[in-house]
Amino acid sequence: MENQRVFAMPFSRVYGLLIAKAGRKGHTRAEVDEVASWLTGYTAGQINALMESEISYGDFFRQAPAMNPGREKITGTVCGVRVERVEDPLMRDIRYLDKLVDELAAGKAMEKILRK
């Protein structure tokens, strides 16, 4: 049931929190857009347009143009939860983005964040 609440949240609100999190550590929205684009296949322009729309956070991921198959290389914890063990595929994709932004905020090199 908790997952449904997260899925229904406005994308603009959640993404704004991710941008703020990275910003507190000296990182830019462009960097957050870069990791989100790598994960989902959206362009920065598409993400910007979605920020102005009413799309839910769940639909942002459901409608992603091309989820990166390399996302399965993302491991670790977010809020005490191992992302690779999250059973719900949609929630796992959401946790992947959380993890990428955490890595960005921690100062990890973009090459490593994007699993190059």
Side-chain angles (χ1 to χ4, degrees), residues 47-115:
I47 292 171
N48 190 48
L50 290 170
M51 285 288 288
E52 302 299 320
S53 76
E54 299 293 320
I55 193 169
S56 70
Y57 202 45
D59 285 343
F60 170 79
F61 286 95
R62 286 184 197 102
Q63 297 172 16
M67 291 300 291
N68 192 315
R71 71 189 184 278
E72 294 172 0
K73 295 178 184 173
I74 301 169
T75 60
T77 60
V78 174
C79 299
V81 176
R82 293 211 61 84
V83 295
E84 64 271 23
R85 292 187 186 150
V86 174
E87 290 186 30
D88 184 298
L90 181 57
M91 182 55 80
R92 187 177 325 116
D93 287 339
I94 288 171
R95 292 294 188 169
Y96 284 151
L97 183 56
D98 289 342
K99 181 64 177 169
L100 294 175
V101 173
D102 282 354
E103 291 175 356
L104 176 66
K108 196 169 186 182
M110 191 62 77
E111 293 176 349
K112 293 189 182 225
I113 296 170
L114 303 183
R115 301 333 194 238

